[in-house]
Amino acid sequence: MARITASVYTSHVPAIGAALDLGKAGEPYWQPLFAGYEFSKRWIQEHAPDVIFLVYNDHATAFSLELIPTFAIGTAAQFAVADEGWGARPVPTVIGHPELASHIAQSVIQDDFDLTIVNQMDVDHGLTVPLSLMYGQPQAWPCPVIPFAVNVVQYPVPSGRRCYLLGQAIRKAIESFDAPLKVQIWGTGGMSHQLQGPRAGLINQQFDAMFLDRLIADPAGLAAVPHIEYVREAGSEGIELVMWLIARGAMADIHGGKPPRVAHRFYHVPASNTAVGHLILENQA
């Protein structure tokens, strides 16, 4: 049967993609950030997944405020890279895994979570930047990716608890898929940042450190944190962090297994007025 081997967490700042695409990764401003992912690029070569289930939020490319689902799973065979207003990023087309994606949709919906099934959509920087950070700039992405878009743009957005429970349902679905696949689940977005209003540029390093600590050691308690605390402490866009709880809820210890091994932890400020967080957790046999 399929199994989840690890979870990966990372910010998906659009300027990171631009820095890579424009050849600026070695410049003094960007070099410390990309240095924090050098371990990760080696790690993923040694722990190569067969499929990545990637949780992210769409930025008004596949969806708009006219129609925005709370949870949407991409079931297509491939996903084009979106043009976000300045041309599509020069990265490979994302290849999907329709069989596993459809199986997950069937299982999770039967577990009483309402998903929107998307058979065609473009994917934006929320999905491609994490792939670039972990894989660099390959000619083709090394494995299929299942996009899972979460609404953290238009209120009301899902609670941390709902995301955490959804992660548990996703784990159940993956482990019931009849193929020996190694699956990684990625939670992306965050960390603390605000892009508009009087608090534009807000970064709360203390909150970010607390979030990472609790994500590792107290995910159930972290899942109970209300939205207002994210907004107050981490900025209006800090609410993206609830997506990390989907990935954390899918880990083995939530289902009676051993605590995950922290393979890597990294934090950097700033990256385009945003705090960048990164974490790799491995399931223990």
Side-chain angles (χ1 to χ4, degrees), residues 21-254:
D21 300 341
L22 298 173
K24 296 183 177 183
E27 293 185 358
Y29 181 86
W30 290 108
Q31 194 279 329
L33 183 144
F34 289 109
Y37 287 84
E38 287 303 314
F39 171 90
S40 307
K41 289 192 285 189
R42 296 191 300 270
W43 176 89
I44 204 162
Q45 296 301 319
E46 298 168 2
H47 301 81
D50 297 312
V51 183
I52 295 168
F53 186 94
L54 200 153
V55 184
Y56 74 110
N57 65 287
D58 177 75
H59 301 79
T61 52
F63 309 110
S64 71
L65 297 185
E66 295 176 352
L67 176 62
I68 183 165
T70 302
F71 301 117
I73 186 167
T75 54
Q78 64 181 32
F79 304 90
V81 177
D83 181 347
E84 299 181 61
W86 48 86
R89 287 194 64 211
V91 296
T93 297
V94 174
I95 303 304
H97 198 300
E99 296 83 7
L100 179 56
S102 297
H103 172 83
I104 292 170
Q106 165 76 17
S107 178
V108 169
I109 290 171
Q110 290 300 308
D111 264 347
D112 302 328
F113 287 89
D114 296 325
L115 305 185
T116 298
I117 297 170
V118 187
N119 295 313
Q120 180 178 347
M121 69 174 175
D122 294 350
V123 291
D124 65 18
H125 72 268
L127 184 138
T128 63
V129 165
L131 290 172
S132 295
L133 284 167
M134 296 295 291
Y135 285 117
Q137 297 172 294
Q139 292 298 308
W141 300 122
C143 73
V145 177
I146 298 174
F148 192 84
V150 180
N151 170 35
V152 288
V153 175
Q154 174 67 56
Y155 272 82
V157 303
S159 68
R161 180 177 181 274
R162 184 70 168 166
C163 291
Y164 184 60
L165 293 173
L166 175 57
Q168 297 174 41
I170 291 169
R171 176 183 174 84
K172 176 183 173 183
I174 290 171
E175 291 189 336
S176 67
F177 186 68
D178 189 13
L181 297 175
K182 295 178 292 184
V183 180
Q184 290 181 7
I185 182 165
W186 295 13
T188 74
M191 295 190 84
S192 64
H193 62 300
Q194 180 153 328
L195 303 180
Q196 72 289 307
R199 297 200 306 166
L202 179 147
I203 291 175
N204 187 338
Q205 297 185 49
Q206 183 177 1
F207 178 90
D208 291 340
M210 176 278 297
F211 183 92
L212 290 170
D213 290 342
R214 295 188 73 185
L215 188 71
I216 296 166
D218 181 28
L222 186 61
V225 172
H227 283 169
I228 190 63
E229 184 168 339
Y230 285 96
V231 175
R232 181 177 59 243
E233 299 296 334
S236 54
E237 279 69 44
I239 192 62
E240 292 179 356
L241 286 167
V242 298
M243 295 187 291
W244 294 30
L245 287 162
I246 296 177
R248 187 64 180 90
M251 294 297 283
D253 62 317
I254 311 305

Side-chain angles (χ1 to χ4, degrees), residues 7-20:
S7 52
V8 174
Y9 310 82
T10 183
S11 304
H12 59 212
V13 184
I16 292 174
L20 279 171

